[in-house]
Amino acid sequence: MHIADNVAIVVNDGGLPAGSILPDGVTLVDRVPQGHKVALTAIAKDAVVLRYDVPIGYALKDIPAGAWVHERLLQMPEARALDNLPKATAPAWNAEPLTGFTFEGYRNADGSVGTRNILAITTTVQCVAGVVDFAVQRIKEQLLPRYPNVDDVIGLEHSYGCGVAIDAPDAIIPIRTLRNISKNPNFGGEVMVVSLGCEKLQPERLLPPGSIPLQANEALDVVCLQADKHVGFMSMIDSVLASAVPHLERLNARRRETVPASELVVGVQCGGSDAFSGVTANPAVGYCTDLLIRAGATVMFSETTEVRDAIEQMTVRATSPEIADAMAREMAWYDAYLGRGQADRSANTTPGNKAGGLSNIVEKAMGSIIKSGTAPISGVLSPGERLQHKGLHYAATPASDFICGTLQLAAGMNLHVFTTGRGTPYGLAEVPVIKVATRTDLARRWHDLMDVNAGRIADGEATIEDMGWELFRLMLEVASGRKKTWAEHWKLHNSLVLFNPAPIT
Ligand code: CA
């Protein structure tokens, strides 16, 4: 990955046996599995192991050239302290603006643009989830055929709303997440709420006056299941269906129009990462991120534990010292959050990551941060906050796929890009998810789940630039509704999962 590195990874299918001779003359002394590291030179005990020109560990014993370098041979470096960080010191980014690229989107009254036209039913509490699910099925069967321009009807189900310390300071995170998800561009500004009645998260607390635009004299559209008028289950279902009709009528009247690519709001994420992630898929996404930023669009990268070890790369690229300080503040908050649970960033890596060749979180982070490309970072969002301007943002979220996706939805994402090496069928009902495989082997086996095969970079069949452009063009097709992702085709949806660092009662 870098000329200074003293390890490289084996990309060959099935790995390489001992005795294999590498192009630069090194002979393997161990069998090295695919995606795993081989020592390019002898590495003495305690010496630094460099990948991406970054210390990913220190040798626990002498490692001969040609040996398999796995996590049991490495001492992980300490996390970089969050003081004395370089702030906004990167040279000016002189990339040419990219003009002339458009997609067909749904323009909203608030200026945002949807890539899908979905009726989303906001819920205040988990208690109503079963009723809402029942009602959604009824709406799909009985109402949706009359509204052919509406893509889908979904219930925004979650586990929050009651049995929680709702006045605890950190409760602001799940509450604003739910509030902002209801305003996601793909829902066309239509907000309807189903409430139980006795829950802590009352509708007016979730969506206080002014938090969503309403016509004069119009009240928040709430169906309350405990209302006296409801006699029997079916009367609740009838209320939800009746409430849905005006929203469906307005959504159905909308049409796609040509909008500039700058209206894309892309959340990038990875899950089930392997050592190829930082070699193929994430660099391709990073190249595409640069294209999007050159086109004036918005890109969010997240997953705090997976970028913690790249904090210095991030603060250097901040557009101002204040943005750099905001990054450090989010990282410090997360360090403390993990510390309260007697964990640290090393709790991130999974058995699958390690089987895929990632020795530790430092190595994983260096492969993860590449998704952010090279553009200046002009914004930082705390968990659950909504974007305020365009450009490249660090949206601080946990790395958990579902929680990260949920928080990026709250930020206002209208398109999601997800890279995976081990493979995951991840999808969201709220936005299209384009999945990018890091390895050709995965793309071949999961041919009807993976949308893009970035493994072609490792195969020598495509360059990072080729794949970045392919992904960019695919995004415009998917955003326009001309192409469905595999997750959409099969209707594979993961649940919304809220980040609630506050106590449960
Ligand atoms: Ca993730």
Side-chain angles (χ1 to χ4, degrees):
M1 298 308 295
H2 191 276
I3 194 72
D5 293 355
N6 54 8
V7 292
I9 67 159
V10 169
V11 299
N12 309 62
D13 269 349
L16 286 174
S20 303
I21 301 172
L22 302 185
D24 63 355
V26 174
T27 303
L28 297 195
V29 297
D30 301 307
R31 190 188 89 78
V32 181
Q34 187 187 36
H36 283 249
K37 292 176 288 300
V38 54
L40 297 175
T41 58
I43 304 170
K45 183 174 183 297
D46 300 325
V48 67
V49 174
L50 282 179
R51 190 176 173 210
Y52 305 104
D53 196 25
V54 167
I56 62 165
Y58 298 91
L60 288 169
K61 60 179 188 180
D62 290 340
I63 302 173
W68 176 20
V69 181
H70 47 71
E71 79 273 11
R72 294 177 303 282
L73 292 176
L74 297 183
Q75 172 70 45
M76 190 170 86
E78 290 295 310
R80 164 78 161 88
L82 293 172
D83 45 18
N84 300 318
L85 286 160
K87 296 175 189 174
T89 50
W93 199 61
N94 289 320
E96 286 268 304
L98 203 57
T99 56
F101 290 92
T102 61
F103 68 100
E104 304 297 309
Y106 292 99
R107 209 174 259 294
N108 296 315
D110 68 358
S112 68
V113 170
T115 60
R116 296 291 182 268
N117 191 29
I118 297 170
L119 174 62
I121 301 175
T122 296
T123 63
T124 53
V125 67
Q126 166 64 210
C127 309
V128 305
V131 174
V132 168
D133 186 49
F134 190 100
V136 164
Q137 297 312 318
R138 280 283 166 103
I139 294 170
K140 284 184 178 176
E141 288 160 20
Q142 297 179 5
L143 299 181
L144 208 50
R146 296 185 349 227
Y147 304 104
N149 289 328
V150 181
D151 292 317
D152 204 0
V153 179
I154 59 177
L156 299 174
E157 190 199 312
H158 58 85
S159 59
Y160 200 72
C162 213
V164 293
I166 203 159
D167 294 317
D170 289 341
I172 191 172
I173 292 176
I175 295 172
R176 73 181 169 211
T177 302
L178 288 170
R179 177 180 305 145
N180 288 331
I181 286 180
S182 72
K183 298 191 279 187
N184 183 277
N186 280 2
F187 307 151
E190 297 296 326
V191 177
M192 68 174 278
V193 180
V194 176
S195 146
L196 179 63
C198 57
E199 67 273 26
K200 282 187 173 160
L201 185 59
Q202 291 287 305
E204 45 293 354
R205 180 153 188 180
L206 177 60
L207 293 161
S211 65
I212 52 164
L214 293 172
Q215 304 297 325
N217 305 323
E218 197 188 13
L220 185 64
D221 180 8
V222 180
V223 174
C224 175
L225 301 189
Q226 291 172 347
D228 291 342
K229 69 170 180 177
H230 288 135
V231 179
F233 173 57
M234 277 306 149
S235 72
M236 299 173 189
I237 300 300
D238 290 345
S239 285
V240 178
L241 264 65
S243 180
V245 167
H247 296 288
L248 287 166
E249 277 173 359
R250 285 194 293 264
L251 289 171
N252 194 53
R254 285 149 49 87
R255 295 293 180 271
R256 288 186 184 270
E257 58 186 279
T258 304
V259 297
S262 59
E263 299 296 352
L264 284 176
V265 182
V266 179
V268 299
Q269 203 200 155
C270 47
S273 298
D274 66 3
F276 276 52
S277 299
V279 180
T280 59
N282 291 352
V285 169
Y287 190 87
C288 185
T289 294
D290 284 354
L291 295 177
L292 288 161
I293 298 303
R294 286 170 55 195
T298 304
V299 179
M300 289 176 275
F301 69 97
S302 298
E303 303 174 293
T304 295
T305 52
E306 292 175 9
V307 295
R308 173 65 178 82
D309 284 285
I311 179 64
E312 204 166 311
Q313 298 178 33
M314 287 167 57
T315 54
V316 163
R317 287 166 59 196
T319 51
S320 70
E322 290 73 29
I323 296 288
D325 287 340
M327 293 171 182
R329 203 160 51 234
E330 290 301 329
M331 300 274 177
W333 185 93
Y334 213 87
D335 282 354
Y337 164 74
L338 290 170
R340 286 203 297 278
Q342 298 181 28
D344 62 25
R345 72 207 201 288
S346 68
N348 172 296
T349 38
T350 66
N353 292 153
K354 290 179 179 175
L358 291 173
S359 291
N360 57 38
I361 187 59
V362 183
E363 184 177 12
K364 188 173 172 179
M366 295 309 133
S368 177
I369 187 69
I370 302 175
K371 299 196 294 299
S372 70
T374 62
I377 303 167
S378 62
V380 176
L381 296 181
S382 294
E385 284 183 342
R386 196 164 189 241
L387 288 158
Q388 300 296 328
H389 59 87
K390 293 183 193 291
L392 181 60
H393 284 69
Y394 162 50
T397 80
S400 154
D401 298 349
F402 328 103
I403 297 181
C404 172
T406 299
L407 291 168
Q408 289 183 340
L409 279 174
M413 148 171 88
N414 59 19
L415 194 62
H416 202 12
V417 173
F418 194 102
T419 67
T420 183
R422 307 294 295 171
T424 168
Y426 176 86
L428 292 173
E430 295 80 8
V431 294
V433 179
I434 297 174
K435 286 204 293 299
V436 182
T438 70
R439 294 175 299 127
T440 295
D441 174 54
L442 174 68
R444 199 163 38 220
R445 287 186 293 113
W446 289 29
H447 57 89
D448 50 6
L449 289 167
M450 294 291 138
D451 299 291
V452 176
N453 174 21
R456 288 161 52 215
I457 295 168
D459 301 338
E461 289 172 6
T463 63
I464 288 168
E465 292 78 9
D466 295 337
M467 292 306 309
W469 273 105
E470 182 181 320
L471 183 58
F472 180 72
R473 294 202 165 90
L474 177 64
M475 282 180 180
L476 298 175
E477 288 297 297
V478 170
S480 300
R482 288 191 290 262
K483 201 157 192 170
K484 280 190 171 176
T485 65
W486 279 115
E488 286 184 292
H489 174 84
W490 299 117
K491 300 193 190 316
L492 300 181
H493 307 145
N494 289 101
S495 301
L496 297 179
V497 182
L498 292 174
F499 181 39
N500 177 24
I504 304 290
T505 61

